[in-house]
Every structure is written in structure tokens, then in C-alpha cells.
Amino acid sequence: MARERFATYISTTLAANSRDCLRGGQGGETCLWQGGAECAAYAAAKAVALFPINLLLLRGSTPMNDLVQFITVDEIAVITINNPPVNALSPGVPEGIAAAIQKISGDDNIKAGVLIGGGRTFIAGADINQFGKMVSGEVKRDPAGLNVLLTPIEQCSKPIVAAIHGTAFGGGLEISMACHARVAVAGAQVGQPEVKLGIIPGAGGTQRLPRLAGVPKAVEMCATGDPIKAPEAHKLGIIDSIIEGDLLEGAIAYARDLVAKGEPLRRTCDLTEKLGDEKTNSMIFAMARQMAAKKAKGMMSPLRAIDAVEAATKLPFDEGIKREGEIFTECLRSPESSAMIHVFFGERAVSKVPGIPADAPIKDIKSVGVLGGGTMGGGIAMVYANAGIPVVLKETKQEFLDRGMGIIEGNYAARVKKGRMTQDKMDANMALITPTLDYAGFADVDIVVEAVFEDMEIKKSVFAELDKATRPDCILASNTSTLDVDQIAAATSRPQQVIGHHFFSPANVMRLLEIVRGSESSDEVIATSLKLSRKLRKVGVLVGNCPGFVGNRMIGIYSREAQFLVEEGATPAQVDKALEDFGMAMGPFRMSDLAGVDVSWRVKQGNQHLIPSGQRQSSIVDKLYEAGRYGQKTSKGWYRYEEGSRNAIPDDEVLKMIDASAAEAGITRREVSDEEIVERLVYGLVNEGAKILDEGFAARAVDIDIIYIFGYGFPPFRGGPMWHASAVGLQKVADRIAEFEKEHGEMWKCSELLSRLAAEGKTFEQFDKEKTEQLAGV
């Protein structure tokens, strides 16, 4: 009731009376509340009305600015950051906090302060837009950075308590660590994710975190960027208290308790007991560097984050802060950071599709039917169950259904065993999946995802059945990875409701969802698919309907060149190592063994009509298929595998097959350099990607980058194939492709778009910008 009473007081008295307006406004026509909108001050005041407050204390209080509000509650100042949606440290937020701290320091009637986030979270981090502006020179970065704010917080003579809910990431955690105490709700998370942007914490994160959590955990958090939950942070010493019940009320009580105790303030910068000794630390840092080199191969920022944490153990605090700032600036100006910031914004850009109205109707998906309980169907069922959406899972035979449900249960059980899921959550998810052998359960579902065998006739037959078994407004989605969505849609009476939802294997792990637009797919179905992808925690990218769509069309060129290169003189192990050293999660041959050589063979057979007569083809996949070498599933493929192991072991039998294939093609084998391997595979991706862009099957180059990063293991620190090409220089890439055309023929003809951009000295980023402006009529 206190919240309601306070809100009523604000709306009926303060906003209408200039003497009491929290904005210091004049009331009447100038009052935003009177005009029908909820002003920032009113929203903040309402948000903190959680228990009885002496309202007279609010009279005369004013916001520090539109982003930071300040009120006093019985001698405790409450600073509320109100910069939705995530309270990022945009320009104005640090200044507002600084003004609030100054007010606390100079007002004898204020005994302590609480810093809290309005809305759904504490400070979730920096405003990423500012990083690009710093690099371009548009914004000049103060060498002291955010420390100009953190030092006054830490040195304030009155206790400042950070009250954390949602997330305290990056600069948010750094600000909280400068406070004298931190309290949080149990569901909160804290972290230093800067390495995911190719940088390191730049406002004391690498210097304060080891002082609170200890060196090993600080190294881990700063080098991996992975967050931890509040209970673990509490055990480590990052959080001082977990608040049960209302956060603000608990934080104010905690601040009052600090005042009552009258003990010296605990300033993080002064703590040294957890910094360890040189001998122990040297082992910690050596192991951390070894792990970073393995898990973040090719990346600079994790290693530099470790360097910065090490500085905390060897230098006085102020010198450590200076060293951190130097490393931060070095990382910020690196190609790695530019690429990873591109990926950060790209992941968000793909949800905004040119030509799809922002107000397009969206169907609420409350239930799903999944057709096929195999590897893909079972994974897709898990994806929906994980999102809390009831699933009807259909198979043709009981044995197939039992096996599929058993695999799903086994996958969940493995997560429970590893501590990644509770038994209760597993039981709840399993209860959401209803197995069936008929279409009866499909009558009321909102969407069906088909995941049957990759054969056009089978899929057309299945869609004809679905057309009769489901409601007319039900969306029919195919998980096809290469087949024509329009042909599938033609088997139904509702092609406008048909779309491709190409999940990547394993569907319950891989984040990419290629959304394939058919020629008649409606705006509603497309918009619903994009929104649904976010609910499923997938990165949905809309693509056009061509053979292989975007990802697999490009991977065909990548795989072609890999096979040609081994015929010409490389080995599968050399090709895989060259690409993995480049940063790919997995080389092409290990990837083929994982996906299945039999799958590659079937795709090859299905695409024969697309290959120009007389064009070179490799016969190695045919030989592997005929020998029953299907990859990991048969313990033999491009490599051999010992029972129960996924460790790829080079096999002389495969080398003999390669020699035979080369001899049949009249190829004289030679020494192949790692540089040539990387250029032919990666530039092959780029050239095909440019053709796809020019043909309109991808809206933007960034869409292709996101597809390859989230679906094919392209290294994020290289920004995706199209960004990487721009970083290398499109003219250099086009020139090299021209050389490949001279050596290998017409199949290497340079894309017209790539040639044009290279001649104009442009990048794919500029192409995206110009195309977006053109569509917007700018």
C-alpha cells in the first residue's frame, strides 16, 4: 500500500504544484505528468516507493539530471539510475552520479547513500556506442576514464552502498566495487565481460576485483568474461549481503547499520589480504595464460586482461590503475575490438529487417508441434521446452519415439549432473514434451516445425498432411538446410504460412536460427519468427530462398576448396590446423566428420544439377561414402576415432584415397602453404557471400557475418567473413581471387559487387550503411 500511497501523492500533488515538482518545473502545461506522460522524476520516485517514507523529505529534492534521480529517506540518500533499458553508462549517467556523491559529501544531514538501478537492472555496463566514438576521435577519452567518478565514491567520507538487482556488468560492477559495500538480490549476476568486446575492464575492474574475490577468480572472470550469480559472489566477498525481500529497503537498512556501527569505511583500493604471494600468483597467471591461449586462440584481450590483473598484485593501486588504462587503450584501438564490437551490434541489427514494418502483427506462440524425433527434432523439442513452450513430438514408430525421448532425457540428465540444471527444472521441461504417433495433438498448436529426412518428396508429403492436421492460422516451418521452401509450401493450401526455420546441430546448443523467407511468406509469419527466435534464445537471421540459403551455400565453396587442396598436396590435418589457427572453432574435415560424411555425400548428389558441366569436382567424398566412412558415427571418416573418443587421428587409408583421387584427376601434388589454405577457404566464403548479397538473398553483409559466427564457428575476433575481408582490404582480396581464377578457372570469377566495392575503395560496412539509407529514403 505504501507504493500506491506514494504514487498517488506524486501524481496528484507534486506534479501539479510547482513548489513540489521533482523536476523543479512550473506545473500546468510544462509538467510532463500533467501532459499525460510519466516524467523521469515521477517514474523514479514511484519506483522507490516501497515502504512508508516521510514525504516531506522529498520536497525540494531535484534530479541530478534526467538520467539520475536523488531523494533522501530519513538521512539516507537514494541515487537511482534511470536510463532504460539496461541503465548503461551513457553520457550524463556518470555525471549525475558524481553530482549525487558531491551532494552527499557536502550535506551534513545526509549520513549515507544507496546507489540503485531503476527498472529491471542495476548498471549493465558501458554505452558500447561510446567505444567506437573514442576510436574515431569523435569523443575524447579522459586518460583517467571512469575513475574520475570512482575515486570520489571510494573516498567519500560517508558509506555508499550499491544495491544490485538484474546485472552489474562491466562498468556497473566497477562502480559497485568502488562503493563501500554491495548488497544484492539472490537472482542478480555480476561480471566483467569486456573481453567479449575485445577489450579489458578499464575502470579499475582488474585492480579491485582481485582485492575482493582473490586473484584466481579475478583472473578467471576478467579473462573469460563469464558472469557469476550473486550467491557465489557473496561467498567470494564481492557481495557483502544477499537481501531477501525488498532490495531498496534492505539496502537502506544496511546503510543505516554501517552508520550506526561507526567503523572505518572499507575501501576496496586499500585491501591487500587477497592479493596473494608472488610464488603462488606466478603459477596462477601461467596456468591462466595457457588456458586463454587454448580457449581463446588468436585473441589478444584475454591475455592482456591477465596482464592487468597481474599488475594489481605487483604495483601500488594507483599505478595499477594507470597500467590498466594503458592496456585498455591498446585493446580498444585493436582490430580485435573493432571486429567484436561489430559483432555485438550486428547481433542486434539482424532483428531489424528492411521491408518488414515495425508494427507488423505478431502471433503469440503458446504451443508447438515437432515432426521427427531424431537428432534435430529432439534438439528442437528441447529448445521449445527450455523456453517454457509445450511441445507435441511426433514420430512414425514407437521405437523411434522411445529412442528420441530417451536422448532428450539423457541430454537433460547430463546437464543436471554437471550442475547446469536442477532436477526440478529437468522434470518440468520433460513434462512439457508430449510424445505421440499421430497428428491428434497438432490440432491446436500455433506452429509446427518439421524435422524429417532431407528429401523433397518426403517433405512435400509431410506438409500436405500438416495442411490438413493443423488450424489454418498455424505456422508451418521446415528445418530444411538446403531444399526449396517454395516447393515445400506448394504442397499446402497456405503458402503464406510456410517458412524455413533452419536450426543448427545440436539445436539445443547452437544459437543460430536461419529464417528462410519463401516467396509468399507473410510479414506476420516473418515478424513472428524473428520474435520467436529471441524467446527461444536464438539469433534469428532472415535469409532468402536459394539452394543452401546463405550458410550452407557458402559452406559448399569452403568445403570444395578444402577437398581440392588435399588433392593438390595438403593433408586433412594440415587444412584443419591452418583454419583452426586462423580461429575457426573446427577445421572443415573435423566438421565434416562431426556432421556426417554421408550427409555431405547426399548434399553433393542433390546439387549436381547446380554444377556447370566440365567443372572440376573431387571424388574423395564418394570414396569415403562407398567405404562406409561416415565420420564419428562410424568411428571412421576423414579421420579415424577410437571407441568413445572424438579425438581425430590421421588415417593412412584416407591419404591413399586422396592420392587415388588426385591421380584420377591428373593432378600433380605439390607443397601447399598454410597461407594459401586460409586464403582459398576464407576468400571463397567472401566471394560467395558477395554474390549472395548482390542477388538479394541476404539483406546486409552483417547478416552473413552473424550467420557464420553463430552457426559455423567463424572467430568473433575477426568479425565474420565479410568484416574480415574489409579489414584485409577488399582490393587485396579481389586481386587474390583474380589470381585464383587464373589458376583454377571460371569457378573463381570475382563477384561483381566485390569488384565494384574494391574499385571504389569501400568496405562491406559502407555497403550496408548505404543500402540501409537507400531503403529508408535518406
Side-chain angles (χ1 to χ4, degrees), residues 43 117-118 128 232 288 293 326 331 382 388 403 421 431 505 562 635 701 722 774:
I128 312 302
E232 182 181 358
E326 293 168 350
C331 290
M382 290 179 67
R403 184 168 63 219
M421 175 180 278
S505 185
S635 298
M722 313 312 281
Q774 182 181 14

Side-chain angles (χ1 to χ4, degrees), residues 58 91 120 147 154 261 346 395 530 542 653 658 682 764:
L58 290 166
R120 69 189 191 194
N147 290 300
E154 200 161 41
K261 288 179 179 177
E395 257 296 356
L530 288 164
L542 185 67
E653 289 298 317
I658 291 170
V682 175
F764 282 114

Side-chain angles (χ1 to χ4, degrees), residues 597-646:
V597 174
D598 55 325
V599 175
S600 300
W601 181 83
R602 281 195 295 271
V603 170
K604 180 183 177 184
Q605 302 312 303
N607 289 342
Q608 283 300 306
H609 66 288
L610 300 173
I611 300 173
S613 177
Q615 182 173 298
R616 176 185 171 188
Q617 293 190 63
S618 171
S619 64
I620 307 173
V621 168
D622 300 316
K623 296 181 187 302
L624 292 171
Y625 180 80
E626 290 164 4
R629 300 182 68 111
Y630 298 163
Q632 290 185 15
K633 67 182 77 173
T634 59
S635 298
K636 289 182 179 181
W638 289 96
Y639 298 93
R640 64 181 177 86
Y641 301 85
E642 294 181 351
E643 188 174 351
S645 171
R646 293 189 176 184

Side-chain angles (χ1 to χ4, degrees), residues 346-348 350-351 376 378-387 389 415 449 479 501-515 528-542 706-707 710-711:
E347 184 180 348
R348 288 144 184 82
V350 295
S351 65
M376 285 304 300
I380 293 167
M382 290 179 67
V383 169
Y384 276 90
N386 292 344
I389 299 174
R415 290 182 60 80
V449 183
N479 182 54
H501 281 188
H502 178 205
F503 289 83
F504 284 68
S505 185
N508 54 304
V509 175
M510 298 295 288
R511 289 192 62 200
L512 179 66
L513 176 63
E514 227 179 5
I515 300 169
T528 298
S529 296
L530 288 164
K531 183 176 181 181
L532 177 62
S533 69
R534 295 191 291 274
K535 186 173 183 178
L536 298 179
R537 303 188 72 178
K538 300 294 182 185
V539 180
V541 184
L542 185 67
I706 295 302
I707 285 171
F710 288 99

